[in-house]
Amino acid sequence: MSGPGRARRWSLRRRLGLWLAAAVAALWLAAATVAGLVLQHEIDEVFDSALQEVAQRVLPLAYSELLSREAGDAPQHMAPIGVHREYITYVVRDGAGRVLLQSSDAEQMAIPAGLAPGFHTTDRLRTYTEAAVRGTIVVTTAEELGHRAAAVRRAVMALIWPLVALVPIALAGVWLSVRLSLKPVLAFRQAIAARGRGNLTPVAADGLPEEMASIAVSVNALMERLRGALEAERGFTANSAHELRTPIAAALAQTQRLLAELPEGAPRQRARDVAGALRRLSRLSEKLLQLAKAEGGGLLAEHPAPLGPVLRHVIAELDRQTDRGSDLVLAIPPNGGPISDLDPDAFAVLARNLIENALKHGAPETPIHVRLSADGFEVANRGPVVPADRLSALLRPFERGPTQAEGSGLGLAIAAAVCRGAGLRLDLASPVPGEADGFQVTVRFPVPILTGS
């Protein structure tokens, strides 16, 4: 649920995905850094060895070259063999520092003179100096420091670049893995959400990880306790209805017997008034118990059942009690109507109150249309139009429309309570759509309802 002032919550999948991807990226960067440091050390060793080897190779060749040279010869440049970049250069000097021999790029490198034998590092060069013939021949090899840094940089970048492609792949892999891992948890959550309409049957916990299995056990235990409480409440409601109905019926029977024994006059009229009051009390207690049952929950059955037979039974009972079955125009699919998980008793209470309400407040000598279909249950009667601003008020207990008919104002309130508890939608319309007058109540079934076979 979201709304103003409510902090945005991140899903577990997003949190795991981002944290794991960030951890992989951080570990990869750390590994690349360590690899770069190791590589720097190894490259220094390799290039230092190369500087030393080149100096030691050049030294005897330079000595032989100088012996064959005549006095006064100018410094000699070694011509390059082919076009290439010279990473290691060398220069051969005499004891006074004069250049006797140098490689092709030695002048560009500006190798300093007077270096002691061994390795030296300047601002831009790494050098190695080797002396021979008592210091009269000195060979210095040199390499630019930038060359080594560039080699290390390219090697490190070769390790880091795959990370650019690795992060999206890691995110996709982590998201897929987390989604598959949490699939039983999501199914468990959806199963709990589906119980919102009063279904308190145990939730299947198949495939849940060990950490969630104990939660499923606790949830099912809680639902079992709720189910027991609701069944106890329903039992109390049924017993209360029976206990109230019996003394009221006995009092009404005694009053009717007294009414038959009294002669015409004031006492008989009072007995007649008492009998009418007892009948109203009986109907009111029945309605109040129906309302309490509707608001108490437990309106869904464990097994879906067709609603058509229930509706036929309700109409047959109303016909026996009111002898107005001929006023009802019934439309039920020939296959028995929709199959619903709505409790049959709850649907009977809903249908009976809506039909009774239509019979009571409909225009005399006009039919009551009762229609049951896969998408809803509809009751419509002819009669005066109910103002639009009064329609919603009729769903409250003891609210009555513009009618003089006898009633307690509980019929629509009971129907609304049943719909509210069972997750059904109740719509009121007046006049009846497409007509000039009348009142229509439509109960719309939710999507999970199953159509009749």
Side-chain angles (χ1 to χ4, degrees):
M1 179 184 292
S2 61
R6 186 179 180 85
R8 182 182 179 185
R9 297 181 183 276
W10 280 34
S11 68
L12 184 59
R13 287 176 293 180
R14 178 178 294 185
R15 292 185 186 188
L16 288 176
L18 291 179
W19 277 112
L20 289 177
V24 170
L27 289 175
W28 191 282
L29 288 175
T33 302
V34 173
L37 295 175
V38 174
L39 189 62
Q40 176 73 61
H41 176 73
E42 295 298 328
I43 284 180
D44 285 343
E45 285 188 350
V46 170
F47 281 87
D48 283 351
S49 176
L51 286 175
Q52 186 175 14
E53 185 173 353
V54 169
Q56 292 174 351
R57 293 279 183 179
V58 167
L59 185 59
L61 296 176
Y63 180 69
S64 176
E65 175 69 18
L66 293 176
L67 288 178
S68 61
R69 185 182 299 180
E70 296 181 358
D73 287 352
Q76 186 175 356
H77 286 78
M78 298 299 294
I81 302 175
V83 179
H84 69 282
R85 182 176 178 183
E86 193 174 80
Y87 293 106
I88 297 177
T89 61
Y90 62 89
V91 61
V92 181
R93 293 187 175 92
D94 59 13
R98 290 180 302 176
V99 176
L100 303 176
L101 180 67
Q102 60 185 0
S103 61
S104 58
D105 293 341
E107 288 186 355
Q108 301 175 9
M109 300 283 285
I111 301 173
L115 296 175
F119 290 101
H120 294 275
T121 302
T122 66
D123 295 338
R124 58 183 185 84
L125 295 178
R126 176 71 170 172
T127 63
Y128 177 78
T129 303
E130 189 79 35
V133 195
R134 298 181 179 179
T136 57
I137 299 176
V138 179
V139 177
T140 301
T141 55
E143 179 196 8
E144 290 184 344
L145 294 177
H147 176 233
R148 298 189 179 191
V152 174
R153 187 167 54 250
R154 286 193 294 270
V156 172
M157 291 304 296
L159 294 174
I160 293 178
W161 273 115
L163 185 61
V164 178
L166 179 66
V167 169
I169 295 174
L171 275 174
V174 168
W175 180 85
L176 182 61
S177 301
V178 172
R179 183 179 179 82
L180 293 177
S181 301
L182 293 181
K183 190 174 181 180
V185 180
L186 296 178
F188 181 70
R189 185 195 66 181
Q190 292 171 355
I192 294 178
R195 300 298 194 274
R197 295 174 54 220
N199 186 354
L200 297 177
T201 55
V203 182
D206 300 336
L208 281 179
E210 183 179 356
E211 294 81 359
M212 296 293 297
S214 58
I215 298 177
V217 172
S218 301
V219 169
N220 284 331
L222 175 61
M223 295 180 72
E224 183 61 29
R225 290 196 294 273
L226 287 175
R227 183 180 178 183
L230 289 175
E231 288 180 351
E233 185 177 351
R234 295 185 67 179
F236 173 77
T237 302
N239 293 332
S240 299
H242 176 73
E243 295 298 330
L244 283 175
R245 191 181 298 116
T246 301
I248 293 175
L252 182 59
Q254 292 295 327
T255 305
Q256 289 175 339
R257 182 177 179 181
L258 180 62
L259 185 62
E261 295 173 351
L262 288 175
E264 287 294 342
R268 186 170 183 174
Q269 181 59 39
R270 285 198 292 274
R272 192 177 289 115
D273 295 341
V274 171
L278 287 173
R279 291 191 188 92
R280 290 193 296 273
L281 178 60
S282 176
R283 290 194 295 270
L284 179 60
S285 63
E286 183 71 23
K287 295 294 182 185
L288 288 174
L289 289 172
Q290 288 179 2
L291 180 62
K293 179 182 178 181
E295 292 179 340
L299 301 178
L300 297 182
E302 294 186 8
H303 305 289
L307 299 180
V310 180
L311 180 59
R312 292 185 186 280
H313 176 75
V314 169
I315 290 177
E317 187 177 359
L318 280 172
D319 186 40
R320 286 195 301 271
Q321 295 176 354
T322 63
D323 197 24
R324 295 192 59 182
S326 59
D327 295 336
L328 302 178
V329 179
L330 183 62
I332 298 179
N335 58 1
I339 298 176
S340 172
D341 56 357
L342 179 63
D343 184 81
D345 291 340
F347 178 68
V349 170
L350 171 68
R352 182 183 180 89
N353 277 279
L354 293 181
I355 297 174
E356 279 184 344
N357 196 66
L359 289 171
K360 190 178 298 178
H361 302 292
E365 308 300 330
T366 57
I368 307 299
H369 292 273
V370 179
R371 187 177 68 89
L372 179 65
S373 62
D375 58 346
F377 174 61
E378 187 177 285
V379 178
N381 62 272
R382 308 301 296 269
V385 175
V386 179
D389 58 348
R390 292 284 301 158
L391 285 178
S392 59
L394 296 179
L395 299 179
R396 295 197 293 263
F398 305 109
E399 289 286 346
R400 291 166 55 83
T403 177
Q404 299 300 321
E406 184 180 355
S408 59
L410 288 174
L412 287 178
I414 293 172
V418 171
C419 292
R420 189 167 51 248
L424 308 178
R425 177 180 162 188
L426 180 67
D427 293 333
L428 305 181
S430 183
V432 175
E435 303 290 343
D437 60 0
F439 185 81
Q440 177 177 294
V441 182
T442 304
V443 178
R444 303 190 187 280
F445 297 138
V447 175
I449 195 171
L450 305 176
T451 56
S453 58

